[in-house]
Amino acid sequence: MIINTLMKNWKWQERYLDLAEEISKWSKDPSTQCGAVAVGDKGQILSQGYNGFPRGIHDNIGLLEDKKSKYDRIVHAEMNVIYNACYNGVSLDGASLYIYGLPLCSKCCLGVIQVGIRRVVMRAPKLPERWNESWQLSQKLLSEANIKYDLQ
């Protein structure tokens, strides 16, 4: 019985990570595609997000290719999950967050903690060196906040 439950949970975890990967493809960013999906305790999709410009800011390829301009404007997938949930009046308290692309940065981690997300599962095929310090701080913050996390 326990093995069946573990296999079922693992299967759904993989499905949610696959969904986050699919959502990442919606990003117009030519260098990085990240996606995230928040899931409630009954397995329901609560919110989704990908890295991109805020509503009303056009996906101008010139801005996307200019790293300084892009970094000044881009909203990370994890924060888009939070903003989209808020925009639609959905609570993320107790939710699990599935992320594809890069591990949770320290700035997004603060938002994740603040809205009450209790578990973070990430599939990050690449970890740029410039991301190491932020990811290390995220791990510390998640541990301090007693939030379970897993990086695959």
Side-chain angles (χ1 to χ4, degrees), residues 2 20 27 30 52 55 59 65 69 92 100 103 105 115-116 126 137-138 143:
I2 290 176
S27 174
R55 284 180 183 85
D59 293 321
E65 289 177 344
S69 295
L92 298 178
Y100 173 83
C105 78
V115 299
K126 56 186 172 189
L137 178 55
S138 292
S143 292

Side-chain angles (χ1 to χ4, degrees), residues 47-48 77-87 90 92 97 108 110-113 115 117:
S47 185
Q48 56 74 31
E78 301 87 346
M79 291 310 294
N80 260 329
V81 164
I82 292 168
Y83 298 149
N84 287 334
C86 181
Y87 188 78
V90 174
L92 298 178
L97 183 65
C108 290
L110 298 174
V112 164
I113 293 167
V115 299
I117 290 171

Side-chain angles (χ1 to χ4, degrees), residues 55-130:
R55 284 180 183 85
I57 307 281
H58 296 289
D59 293 321
N60 178 307
I61 194 67
L63 292 175
L64 286 164
E65 289 177 344
D66 175 7
K67 287 190 186 238
K68 167 110 175 70
S69 295
K70 178 177 75 172
Y71 292 154
D72 287 344
R73 291 170 173 80
I74 205 88
V75 179
H76 289 184
E78 301 87 346
M79 291 310 294
N80 260 329
V81 164
I82 292 168
Y83 298 149
N84 287 334
C86 181
Y87 188 78
N88 291 305
V90 174
S91 172
L92 298 178
D93 191 31
S96 295
L97 183 65
Y98 295 86
I99 301 168
Y100 173 83
L102 291 167
L104 186 65
C105 78
S106 58
K107 294 295 183 191
C108 290
C109 185
L110 298 174
V112 164
I113 293 167
Q114 197 68 3
V115 299
I117 290 171
R118 300 308 312 154
R119 182 169 178 251
V120 178
V121 181
M122 298 157 278
R123 183 186 293 155
K126 56 186 172 189
L127 179 59
E129 191 168 323
R130 64 180 167 79

